[in-house]
Amino acid sequence: MYDSMSVRANLEFPLIRHSNLTPKEREMRIKNVLEKVSLEEAIDKMPADLSGGMKKRIGLARAIITEPKLMLYDEPTTGLDPITAKEISKLIIDLQHELKMTSIIVTHDILCAKIIADRAVVLDNGKVQYEGSLSDLTTSSDPFLKNFFSDELVEETGRI
C-alpha cells in the first residue's frame, strides 16, 4: 500500500493503470472488493489508520481488483495474531473459490497451510523434498520431513 494514499486511491491505482473502466465503474469495483474482504467502512481511511489485519485485507482487495486468474501469496499471515491469521487464511480460500483463481502460497505457518493447502511442496536446498497432500506430508516416515514436522516444534511455534 502507498502510505500517502487512502484505501480508495490505493485500490483505484491498478484500475487506472490496467483497465479502461470509467470512474463510476472503478468506484463500483472498489466497493465490491471491499465488500469481499469485509472492509467497506475503510474506503476513505489512510494506511496509518488500519490495523495489521486490515492492511492484509486491503492488500488482498488490491490484488484481486484486477480479477487475476493466478495469485501468489508470500507469507500472507506473517506478523498476525493466530485469530487474524486464521481469518486471513479462510478469506484466501473464499476468494479463491469465488473468483475461480489458482493460488500459490509460500508459508511457514502450519495453521495457514492446514487451512489453505490442497497440495504441499517442501524444498530442501532448492530441491523438491516432498510433494503431495499435507496430511501425507505431516505423517511421512522420511527422516527430513519427520524432523521438519516434529510435533514439539509445531506445538511450540505454530509454524512449520
Side-chain angles (χ1 to χ4, degrees):
M1 280 181 81
Y2 296 109
D3 291 342
S4 61
M5 296 166 59
S6 70
V7 167
R8 180 192 311 268
N10 265 282
L11 295 176
E12 188 174 34
F13 186 79
L15 294 176
I16 290 170
R17 291 209 170 285
H18 301 289
S19 80
N20 294 320
L21 298 175
T22 66
K24 185 175 181 176
E25 291 169 328
R26 289 194 305 260
E27 183 70 13
M28 288 174 47
R29 177 86 58 93
I30 290 166
K31 289 179 178 179
N32 182 266
V33 297
L34 284 173
E35 183 179 324
K36 286 182 188 324
V37 299
S38 302
L39 282 177
E40 304 93 327
E41 76 284 353
I43 194 165
D44 292 315
K45 290 189 177 198
M46 296 300 286
D49 299 325
L50 303 173
S51 69
M54 291 171 82
K55 287 178 183 176
K56 292 278 187 181
R57 287 176 181 273
I58 296 299
L60 285 173
R62 184 168 174 180
I64 64 170
I65 202 156
T66 58
E67 300 175 341
K69 296 296 178 205
L70 174 68
M71 183 76 78
L72 176 63
Y73 298 91
D74 185 13
E75 301 286 356
T77 58
T78 296
L80 300 177
D81 64 85
I83 293 169
T84 305
K86 188 175 181 180
E87 289 172 355
I88 293 296
S89 297
K90 287 182 177 180
L91 178 58
I92 289 169
I93 289 294
D94 291 345
L95 291 173
Q96 179 178 308
H97 292 293
E98 184 177 337
L99 301 175
K100 296 176 178 42
M101 68 181 171
T102 299
S103 296
I104 299 172
I105 295 99
V106 176
T107 188
H108 291 86
D109 182 338
I110 189 71
L111 179 60
C112 177
K114 283 181 177 179
I115 292 170
I116 295 173
D118 292 327
R119 298 190 52 75
V121 176
V122 176
L123 301 176
D124 183 23
N125 291 320
K127 294 183 182 168
V128 174
Q129 180 71 23
Y130 170 85
E131 182 178 354
S133 74
L134 191 62
S135 62
D136 288 346
L137 172 70
T138 58
T139 59
S140 172
S141 61
D142 178 276
F144 172 78
L145 295 175
K146 280 185 89 146
N147 186 48
F148 197 76
F149 288 98
S150 70
D151 289 338
E152 297 85 30
L153 180 62
V154 172
E155 286 176 12
E156 287 175 23
T157 64
R159 300 175 73 77
I160 54 174

